[in-house]
Amino acid sequence: MTKTITECRVAPRFYSRNDVLRSGRAGTGHYRRFGGKRGERAMPVAKPESSDSRVIAHVDMDCFYVQVEQRKQPQLRGLPTAVVQYNEWKGGALIAVSYEARKFGIKRSMRGEEAKEVCPQVQLVQVPVARGKADLSGYRNAGSEVVSILARRGRCERASIDEVYLDLTDAAEMMLADNPPQGMETIDEEALKSHILGLNNEDGSDVKENVRKWIHRHNADHRDKLLACGILIVAELRMQVLKETEFTCSAGIAHNKMLAKLASGMNKPAQQTVVPFSSVKGLLDTLPIRKMKQLGGKLGISLQMDIGVNTVGDLLQFPEEKLQERYGINTGTWLWNIARGISGEEVEGRLLPKSHGSGKTFPGPRALKTVPAVQHWLNQLCEELSERLCSDLDQNKRIAHTLTLHARAYKSSDSDSQKKFPSKSCPLRYGTAKIQEDAFNLFQAGLREYIGFYGGKTRGSHCRGWGITSLSVSASKIVPIPSGTCSIAKYFHGQSTSHFSSMQSSDNLNTEATLSLPSGSECYSEVNLSEPKIDFPKEESWIKDTVPDLDLQEQKVNFLKTKLLLFSFLQILF
């Protein structure tokens, strides 16, 4: 997945996420910038295929927001339904459209009033609202229900609220050894409805019977036998999701994540598509280049405009050396690989999100044009972010280390300035007020940089010619809390800088932080400071001896909070 690198060698207190981008060899996880301009998306990097005998599934929920609302209101089932954004202007923006509504021509690009004109009987359900913005917590929680079921059979990576990757290789190998599909007398009906790319169904023969024969083949190679197992496992999981949550989902099954992702959307809703190795070339030959993940932006445009590549199959005409010469060694190899369906990206085995974020857009006349207006909305966003961080801490015993602010802006005299507002990051301090303070300081630093780029001026709390059309705050670098003996620097992974940095005046936000951090964190200028060691007793024994009347789980949470308070106090001392 394309990433924006946040680490830097020597950084000021507030640094741009895209200030420094690293490069490296194929498969190392490094990224290269395309075009050489700051703030542009990093280029993809090739990773060697570890094995072509993997079984990877991509599970994609069908119109998930609609399904969540239909579960709350069963009377909506079977009716044309759309979920609309909290903004009521012209009926609200459609963010999810049921398949029944799509048959009438309703699309996500429409607004509620337009959808009513196309289909007067469409049911419009508004997203819940909190703090003046959409509240997606109900959808996140519903997605977690699905993830917990899918994770029962394999390594699971939650990619978003409504999509999950599964590595089912071990489960497929076990099935192949203990109860191979080739010997099964009966095969579940849901598995027989699978779409197997390359399977010839044009002769009028029974489609399900052809699938049965494909699964039962004794002369199939090992890869196809594993995929046959994958068909049965995914069909069973999808039926289990339906039974336990009432949600339908579609799936793609292939030998890597890239192919599984492409396949999951080919036959929807409530169906699954399989990509045997022999059908990879046929799938990619005619696939538009912009449909491929990571090729929808400037790299895809360059492939089309500069070398005439319109489909993924068109890349086959270029030797690897030519692609490397034009796009760099790593990206050139990556392009050469994807043209052949090769991708070594692993399923990461992540059930919890890698980051938390809260954002809001302010389109058109609703753009924020005063600093107090920006601060008001930042406070709302930070309050939500703080609640989610505290919930993660209580439930999952994880702590985040980096706070990042993103914004989109425009300058009335320069239409090209859209999306160029610099992202800024700093060490994250827990507590709503601290997060709000740091986020506002980040915005001020970004605003000064943005105005400097375009020659604008501010006067008091009002702007001259600029407006903010999007704001978001996010918390990243989330790791489990260590227990037992630990140092402040190890525990906070660099948070000790935040207290001192927050004391800087707003006119000195770009000065360098003055505390050393452990290796692997953001690297600031170093000075030698001792790291106090603190020994904590085992949590259970400490809790039992001190507060025996509380529920054990609640005691653990309170104990972790006590740790945080103690470490925060020691930040001031040391």
Side-chain angles (χ1 to χ4, degrees):
M1 182 169 65
T2 301
K3 300 181 180 178
T4 302
I5 303 303
T6 61
E7 295 83 357
C8 55
R9 293 294 181 186
V10 178
R13 155 70 168 148
F14 299 120
Y15 53 89
S16 172
R17 289 173 62 86
N18 298 305
D19 281 339
V20 180
L21 291 172
R22 301 178 298 177
S23 62
R25 297 184 179 181
T28 62
H30 296 297
Y31 298 81
R32 296 180 62 88
R33 186 173 60 209
F34 175 58
K37 296 181 180 179
R38 190 180 66 166
E40 291 182 349
R41 185 174 294 274
M43 291 280 275
V45 170
K47 293 184 179 181
E49 189 87 72
S50 58
S51 170
D52 61 2
S53 296
R54 295 185 297 166
V55 180
I56 309 297
H58 179 261
V59 179
D60 190 12
M61 307 306 297
D62 301 320
C63 303
F64 189 48
Y65 287 15
V66 172
Q67 287 202 77
V68 173
E69 297 299 336
Q70 287 176 333
R71 185 171 69 171
K72 291 191 294 185
Q73 304 179 61
Q75 68 273 18
L76 296 177
R77 295 188 190 278
L79 300 178
T81 306
V83 176
V84 299
Q85 188 60 285
Y86 59 94
N87 172 23
E88 296 181 357
W89 183 70
K90 290 189 176 181
L94 273 57
I95 62 173
V97 179
S98 72
Y99 289 96
E100 294 86 355
R102 295 182 192 187
K103 294 177 181 178
F104 289 91
I106 297 177
K107 302 177 181 178
R108 285 183 58 184
S109 58
M110 295 180 176
R111 301 197 71 86
E113 292 181 2
E114 186 180 358
K116 282 284 189 181
E117 293 177 359
V118 174
C119 176
Q121 63 267 39
V122 65
Q123 305 295 308
L124 301 179
V125 184
Q126 182 177 289
V127 171
V129 177
R131 302 182 185 88
K133 61 180 293 295
D135 180 10
L136 303 182
S137 57
Y139 306 116
R140 292 192 193 95
N141 295 337
S144 297
E145 295 179 45
V146 176
V147 171
S148 65
I149 298 170
L150 298 177
R152 297 170 187 171
R153 297 298 299 271
R155 189 162 69 249
C156 185
E157 176 186 335
R158 187 171 185 176
S160 69
I161 287 179
D162 60 352
E163 59 177 334
V164 179
Y165 287 101
L166 280 169
D167 189 329
L168 299 170
T169 306
D170 290 343
E173 291 280 12
M174 186 178 301
M175 176 182 287
L176 195 58
D178 297 340
N179 186 24
Q182 294 76 25
M184 292 183 178
E185 294 184 4
T186 59
I187 295 177
D188 186 78
E189 185 75 8
E190 190 63 31
L192 293 177
K193 295 193 303 185
S194 300
H195 300 263
I196 302 176
L197 297 188
L199 192 61
N200 185 9
N201 295 315
E202 298 177 356
D203 56 2
S205 58
D206 183 82
V207 175
K208 292 182 181 179
E209 186 59 30
N210 287 343
V211 172
R212 186 192 306 275
K213 291 178 180 178
W214 193 92
I215 293 174
H216 275 153
R217 290 181 306 156
H218 288 277
N219 61 343
D221 63 20
H222 185 68
R223 294 174 302 191
D224 281 357
K225 289 181 179 179
L226 286 177
L227 282 185
C229 295
I231 290 174
L232 302 178
I233 294 170
V234 173
E236 179 184 346
L237 284 172
R238 289 177 45 244
M239 290 300 97
Q240 197 64 33
V241 168
L242 180 62
K243 177 181 178 181
E244 295 186 30
T245 70
E246 304 179 27
F247 300 143
T248 66
C249 56
S250 299
I253 307 165
H255 293 301
N256 60 50
K257 290 174 70 174
M258 177 185 72
L259 297 173
K261 168 76 171 178
L262 289 173
S264 64
M266 295 182 68
N267 295 283
K268 290 175 73 73
Q271 300 179 73
Q272 59 188 51
T273 304
V274 188
V275 186
F277 188 80
S278 59
S279 300
V280 171
K281 186 176 185 302
L283 169 65
L284 298 179
D285 272 352
T286 58
L287 184 73
I289 199 75
R290 305 299 294 276
K291 294 286 187 181
M292 178 66 74
K293 182 181 178 181
Q294 297 179 301
L295 292 182
K298 291 187 177 181
L299 178 55
I301 293 174
S302 174
L303 290 170
Q304 288 181 291
M305 303 299 294
D306 298 339
I307 61 176
V309 170
N310 294 308
T311 69
V312 177
D314 289 342
L315 284 169
L316 292 172
Q317 63 185 298
F318 296 96
E320 183 177 1
E321 294 75 14
K322 291 293 184 182
L323 294 172
Q324 290 176 337
E325 180 181 333
R326 185 169 192 89
Y327 296 104
I329 293 176
N330 287 322
T331 302
T333 298
W334 180 80
L335 291 169
W336 190 88
N337 283 342
I338 65 166
R340 292 156 178 79
I342 299 171
S343 173
E345 187 178 0
E346 298 287 342
V347 175
E348 294 184 13
R350 183 181 70 248
L351 302 183
L352 299 172
K354 295 174 66 176
S355 63
H356 294 294
S358 178
K360 182 176 174 64
T361 58
F362 309 92
R366 294 191 293 129
L368 306 179
K369 298 179 180 179
T370 68
V371 173
V374 172
Q375 186 170 24
H376 166 77
W377 283 110
L378 274 180
N379 286 344
Q380 302 301 310
L381 300 177
C382 291
E383 187 176 331
E384 178 185 344
L385 179 63
S386 182
E387 284 188 4
R388 292 176 61 187
L389 287 171
C390 289
S391 177
D392 200 345
L393 174 63
D394 287 347
Q395 296 178 18
N396 306 311
K397 306 301 182 288
R398 301 194 309 163
I399 190 168
H401 296 103
T402 301
L403 175 69
T404 302
L405 177 133
H406 298 281
R408 292 184 180 181
Y410 70 83
K411 190 170 182 294
S412 57
S413 61
D414 187 351
S415 60
D416 293 333
S417 66
Q418 186 75 19
K419 299 185 181 180
K420 293 182 181 178
F421 192 99
S423 298
K424 295 289 180 180
S425 297
C426 70
L428 188 146
R429 300 186 297 161
Y430 272 69
T432 301
K434 291 183 175 67
I435 295 174
Q436 289 172 336
E437 175 188 353
D438 289 343
F440 184 58
N441 287 338
L442 291 173
F443 171 77
Q444 289 181 306
L447 181 61
R448 282 196 298 276
E449 188 174 326
Y450 179 75
I451 291 174
F453 286 160
Y454 298 104
K457 297 180 180 179
T458 59
R459 178 179 298 172
S461 62
H462 295 273
C463 74
R464 179 177 293 180
W466 58 261
I468 302 298
T469 59
S470 174
L471 275 176
S472 69
V473 288
S474 62
S476 58
K477 295 188 179 177
I478 304 177
V479 297
I481 292 179
S483 59
T485 302
C486 62
S487 69
I488 294 175
K490 178 180 178 182
Y491 183 85
F492 276 94
H493 201 55
Q495 282 208 70
S496 56
T497 61
S498 60
H499 169 77
F500 296 92
S501 299
S502 66
M503 295 167 58
Q504 299 172 357
S505 68
S506 60
D507 292 330
N508 293 308
L509 295 178
N510 287 325
T511 58
E512 293 184 355
T514 57
L515 296 184
S516 62
L517 302 178
S519 60
S521 66
E522 303 96 354
C523 298
Y524 298 88
S525 300
E526 295 187 1
V527 297
N528 292 322
L529 291 179
S530 60
E531 296 179 359
K533 300 285 184 177
I534 302 174
D535 285 315
F536 287 96
K538 293 293 184 180
E539 293 181 17
E540 287 79 1
S541 62
W542 182 86
I543 292 168
K544 181 178 180 181
D545 293 338
T546 55
V547 280
D549 295 332
L550 292 177
D551 174 78
L552 181 59
Q553 185 61 36
E554 182 180 356
Q555 295 171 28
K556 288 183 178 181
V557 171
N558 290 337
F559 179 62
L560 287 170
K561 291 179 178 178
T562 302
K563 278 186 178 182
L564 278 175
L565 290 173
L566 178 58
F567 281 128
S568 297
F569 174 72
L570 288 174
Q571 283 182 273
I572 300 174
L573 297 180
F574 298 98

